[in-house]
Amino acid sequence: MALAAWAYLTSEGIGILGKDAVAVVSVEGVIEDSRDTVRSLDRLADTQGVRAVVLRVDSPGGGVAPSQEIYDAVLRVHEKKPIIASLGNLAASGGYYIASGCDSIVANPGTLTGSIGVVMQMANVTELLKKLGLQGVIVKAGKFKDIGSPLRDMTDEERRLLEGLLENVHTQFISAVAKGRKLAPEQVRALADGRVYSGEQARDLKLVDRLGGLRDAVQLAAERAGISGEPHWIEIQRRQSPWWWRRLTEFMEGRPESLGGLQFLYPGAWGPASG
């Protein structure tokens, strides 16, 4: 049986017992901030005792920029050592985006993945305000400064502007997947209508390389790194509050990231459940 251990990131770096290890970096929940994951990947890329990295993804995606930053960090690891993606219950939208930069992707047959698309969600509270006897007032300089305001209806011109923005970012998503998976952009675009795929479907569509779990991904990473025998593997984790608690406290504090924005996010169910 492969030997697993825990390593915690500190300001001094990564402490690892032994050598010729495979490090597992987990990305779980909504991708809101890339800094911890990017820091982990960059340190592991330069850590002598780590011969390969597994990126374990169980995420519906999240913010566009954080997903792109993690993807870029994955590519930096790829330049120095093997990096394999292991997809858990859900690795959709931004979760798939960051995985697509890895050397290979291993998914469970029932993993939900794909959802290659971009979404921007906004609320319109004008009817609610009318019922409450309130009226929103907007003072602005710049025609589109209040685009997406919940205090009024969106105009057709504004909708076209936002649709153009989303199409541009969608093309960035398609290009990143095509680059990472070594597919033609047209081939990816045909699959990029936002739908989700099972791990088995994704393999048949060349979005995933093989079926298996985390142990299979670790074994593949070890083989790519030239490690013989059962690999010694460690998990890099950072203690933090659950993503749903962070989102709730952000909303209570009125922080803008809790209210939406441009996202690589699969808004559906968090994967199939048995029982």
Side-chain angles (χ1 to χ4, degrees):
M1 181 179 294
L3 177 62
W6 298 95
Y8 290 94
L9 296 181
T10 67
S11 58
E12 290 76 31
I14 300 174
I16 297 174
L17 295 176
K19 59 180 180 179
D20 291 344
V22 176
V24 179
V25 177
S26 296
V27 177
E28 300 177 344
V30 176
I31 300 172
E32 300 172 293
D33 191 321
S34 65
R35 287 173 293 183
D36 286 351
T37 302
V38 168
R39 186 181 300 115
S40 298
L41 292 172
D42 284 342
R43 288 176 175 173
L44 289 169
D46 295 324
T47 300
Q48 298 273 332
V50 174
R51 297 277 302 279
V53 176
V54 170
L55 184 69
R56 174 69 172 184
V57 183
D58 205 335
S59 168
V64 169
S67 299
Q68 292 177 329
E69 290 174 351
I70 295 173
Y71 176 91
D72 289 342
V74 167
L75 295 183
R76 290 195 294 273
V77 175
H78 168 73
E79 293 174 355
K80 298 180 178 180
K81 60 189 63 174
I83 179 167
I84 306 298
S86 169
L87 309 188
N89 191 48
L90 177 64
S93 202
Y96 181 74
Y97 189 108
I98 65 175
S100 68
C102 294
D103 301 0
S104 292
I105 300 178
V106 180
N108 292 282
T111 295
L112 284 187
T113 189
S115 188
I116 301 172
V118 191
V119 64
M120 178 180 285
Q121 303 176 90
M122 292 163 284
N124 185 330
V125 299
T126 53
E127 293 299 320
L128 175 61
L129 291 178
K130 288 178 182 178
K131 292 181 180 180
L132 296 175
L134 301 174
Q135 181 179 5
V137 177
I138 299 172
V139 179
K140 64 180 180 179
K143 181 179 179 180
F144 297 110
K145 188 61 179 176
D146 66 332
I147 190 169
S149 170
L151 302 180
R152 62 173 180 81
D153 293 333
M154 183 180 294
T155 68
D156 291 340
E157 184 180 13
E158 289 172 334
R159 180 174 292 276
R160 288 193 296 271
L161 188 152
L162 291 178
E163 287 173 346
L165 170 64
L166 266 66
E167 181 59 34
N168 175 268
V169 178
H170 189 211
T171 299
Q172 295 176 32
F173 196 161
I174 291 168
S175 297
V177 173
K179 176 182 178 181
R181 299 297 302 156
K182 297 179 175 57
L183 299 172
E186 297 76 17
Q187 187 176 358
V188 177
R189 186 173 290 277
L191 306 173
D193 58 4
R195 75 181 67 186
V196 292
Y197 304 98
S198 71
E200 193 169 65
Q201 290 175 319
R203 180 201 56 186
D204 295 340
L205 294 170
K206 302 186 186 307
L207 295 176
V208 164
D209 294 290
R210 62 175 69 181
L211 301 181
L214 176 58
R215 183 177 297 279
D216 299 297
V218 170
Q219 187 63 50
L220 176 60
E223 292 173 1
R224 295 281 179 87
I227 300 174
S228 58
E230 289 292 330
H232 169 72
W233 58 285
I234 60 171
E235 296 205 32
I236 310 298
Q237 287 200 344
R238 220 175 234 284
R239 296 183 177 92
Q240 59 180 359
S241 57
W243 70 267
W244 56 266
W245 177 255
R246 299 197 304 275
R247 181 59 63 89
L248 177 62
T249 54
E250 289 165 0
F251 180 81
M252 296 298 291
E253 294 170 2
R255 290 164 57 184
E257 56 264 39
S258 67
L259 304 178
L262 198 58
Q263 297 177 321
F264 293 144
L265 181 67
Y266 170 59
W270 273 58
S274 59

